[in-house]
Amino acid sequence: MYKSFRVKNFRCFRDLEISDLGRVNLIAGKNNTGKTALMEAMYVHSGNRESKTLLRSSQPRPTAPHRSHVAASSDEEAASVVGWDSVFNDFDSSDDIVLSGESYAAEHLLLSGPYASTVTLAAKSQTSYDFDDILFQLRVSDLYRLKNIDVLAISSDYSRQSSYFAILDGRIVQSRVRTKPLFVADFLYPRQVLNEGVESTRFSNMRKRGELQTLLRALQDIEPRLTGLELWFDGQRPLIKCEVGLRQPVSLGDMGDGINRVASLVLAISELPNGVIFIDEIENGIHYSVQRQVWKAIGQVARELDIQVFATTHSLEMIRAAYEAFNEAGKLDEFRYHRLDRDRETGDIEAVTYNQRAVEAVATFDFDFEVRG
């Protein structure tokens, strides 16, 4: 679980530090203040090694959360990407990206107590002293015949091995290096659609672990008629069915956007015991009338499975709903509200963490608080 985090030279950040991180962290701010970029930086630091996270070339396909990632050569199209400069602040790849965090590390790293760790992203050119070694690691033939090889190296002080990505003729090729993550983690982008197979697998995993009551309680806050959940197979595909007092169980997909969004969030979170989840634009697909119940469910699941949550929002209603949910549960000490803003003189982005009284003011008073921007 992260206690603090610092990001240097990544995307829109020259040097940003955010501290006093809690179990559930809500990040707000105007557009282009780096809300998503901050979570992406933390995701990379936690151990993610996916090119999509760095390039945002398209929405990620449904995948299992990473535990130990084995990178493989990919023909993913990257025609719109000129090079790795877009990852660096002000497109200056001469200065390394440095991501550092203080956290309670995962048990598999045999570390205990607060632990400071650093991940470095460096652009490598043909003049770099270790370029030949990188070419060997990439295992791609005829590299010397290709022009403008753009390589990004990702290394960490908690893993002895590095990941390498190379953009070659519109393709992204990554090394076959196995990396050990600091935390098991997942990143949920807005409007990311998970297929029913992924949802059903996660549901089955919860059932095997004896955790279905956790999902049921979370969904009952949205639909009080719900008394049970089952996994059916209609001859073509597995379906999650809901007992709501009718003659037959109802498919979860027919229960409305709100309950489906909560189910997707809880199912995703359930795959990350002792891990971290990042949710971009958490308000997406959730009606304002059930936002408080959504936060109650997130807090409950995060608490039971010891998971840290980071989420971004453009919605003042979502901020208020989070405050109300954690206040009613007597768990305000678990909730943190962070706001990102640009300094008017320097243009640098700064992070401010609101104390309990300040969060209460934002949630209670009706005024034009600039969130959407």
Side-chain angles (χ1 to χ4, degrees):
M1 185 175 295
Y2 285 102
K3 298 180 62 181
S4 64
F5 190 76
R6 184 176 183 182
V7 50
K8 298 178 66 176
N9 202 39
F10 181 74
R11 297 201 192 283
C12 55
F13 300 118
R14 187 183 65 82
D15 190 349
L16 174 84
E17 186 167 8
I18 184 168
S19 57
D20 191 25
L21 300 174
R23 178 176 298 282
V24 178
N25 302 270
L26 185 57
I27 305 168
K30 291 185 177 182
N31 287 333
N32 301 317
T33 53
K35 299 182 295 294
T36 302
L38 174 60
M39 293 202 307
E40 287 174 334
M42 299 183 77
Y43 190 35
V44 171
H45 180 273
S46 70
N48 168 61
R49 298 294 185 266
E50 296 175 3
S51 58
K52 284 181 179 291
T53 305
L54 296 169
L55 293 176
R56 300 187 197 172
S57 54
S58 62
Q59 290 296 325
R61 294 184 294 274
T63 58
H66 72 270
R67 298 176 189 274
S68 59
H69 179 72
V70 181
S73 295
S74 170
D75 288 334
E76 177 190 355
E77 288 297 325
S80 62
V81 180
V82 176
W84 292 108
D85 289 353
S86 62
V87 181
F88 293 79
N89 180 247
D90 198 23
F91 302 94
D92 182 10
S93 58
S94 64
D95 190 9
D96 292 352
I97 293 169
V98 180
L99 312 175
S100 54
E102 185 180 14
S103 59
Y104 288 98
E107 292 182 1
H108 70 271
L109 294 177
L110 303 179
L111 300 166
S112 61
Y115 173 70
S117 54
T118 300
V119 171
T120 302
L121 285 70
K124 299 291 185 177
S125 69
Q126 296 186 38
T127 60
S128 301
Y129 75 94
D130 53 352
F131 195 71
D132 288 344
D133 180 59
I134 293 173
L135 298 188
F136 174 78
Q137 292 286 343
L138 288 168
R139 293 182 174 86
V140 178
S141 62
D142 298 327
L143 274 173
Y144 284 106
R145 285 202 249 165
L146 298 169
K147 298 180 180 179
N148 301 321
I149 304 171
D150 200 0
V151 176
L152 183 72
I154 307 177
S155 58
S156 65
D157 60 4
Y158 59 78
S159 176
R160 294 181 179 180
Q161 296 173 310
S162 300
S163 291
Y164 302 104
F165 295 88
I167 296 178
L168 307 167
D169 295 341
R171 294 183 302 124
I172 297 174
V173 178
Q174 60 190 58
S175 71
R176 298 177 182 273
V177 174
R178 181 184 295 271
T179 59
K180 181 176 290 186
L182 183 64
F183 298 110
V184 55
D186 200 3
F187 199 115
L188 305 183
Y189 286 88
R191 295 169 293 280
Q192 180 176 343
V193 179
L194 292 179
N195 62 46
E196 291 170 329
V198 172
E199 302 275 59
S200 299
T201 298
R202 290 175 173 176
F203 181 90
S204 296
N205 291 339
M206 286 197 77
R207 182 169 61 182
K208 291 176 184 176
R209 296 190 300 264
E211 298 170 354
L212 274 189
Q213 284 300 312
T214 298
L215 176 61
L216 181 62
R217 287 194 298 269
L219 298 184
Q220 284 173 332
D221 284 331
I222 310 294
E223 177 49 80
R225 296 180 301 162
L226 184 64
T227 59
L229 296 165
E230 303 175 29
L231 189 62
W232 284 28
F233 186 73
D234 66 355
Q236 295 181 332
R237 55 183 178 170
L239 296 172
I240 300 174
K241 293 281 191 172
C242 305
E243 293 281 0
V244 290
L246 301 178
R247 292 185 179 181
Q248 293 185 11
V250 179
S251 174
L252 178 63
D254 296 329
M255 293 288 289
D257 291 340
I259 194 169
N260 273 271
R261 175 68 164 154
V262 173
S264 291
L265 289 175
V266 173
L267 287 170
I269 292 173
S270 71
E271 295 287 296
L272 308 167
N274 309 118
V276 185
I277 190 164
F278 303 93
I279 309 168
D280 200 17
E281 296 183 18
I282 189 171
E283 71 273 13
N284 188 64
I286 301 176
H287 193 265
Y288 74 90
S289 61
V290 296
Q291 288 177 353
R292 183 170 55 81
Q293 292 95 318
V294 170
W295 280 115
K296 180 180 177 182
I298 290 174
Q300 172 185 306
V301 177
R303 200 173 301 121
E304 291 182 8
L305 301 181
D306 192 22
I307 292 167
Q308 190 172 27
V309 178
F310 291 88
T312 68
T313 186
H314 289 280
S315 168
L316 178 57
E317 291 83 4
M318 206 65 179
I319 300 170
R320 288 171 171 161
Y323 170 81
E324 291 169 359
F326 284 91
N327 189 41
E328 288 178 10
K331 298 292 184 178
L332 267 180
D333 59 316
E334 295 182 343
F335 175 67
R336 299 290 189 278
Y337 170 57
H338 314 278
R339 181 176 171 84
L340 303 183
D341 282 303
R342 287 189 181 274
D343 184 277
R344 292 185 178 182
E345 295 183 1
T346 66
D348 292 340
I349 298 172
E350 300 174 339
V352 176
T353 299
Y354 284 55
N355 60 28
Q356 182 172 328
R357 180 173 296 180
V359 175
E360 182 179 4
V362 172
T364 304
F365 297 105
D366 186 13
F367 60 95
D368 185 20
F369 189 69
E370 295 181 350
V371 175
R372 297 172 180 87

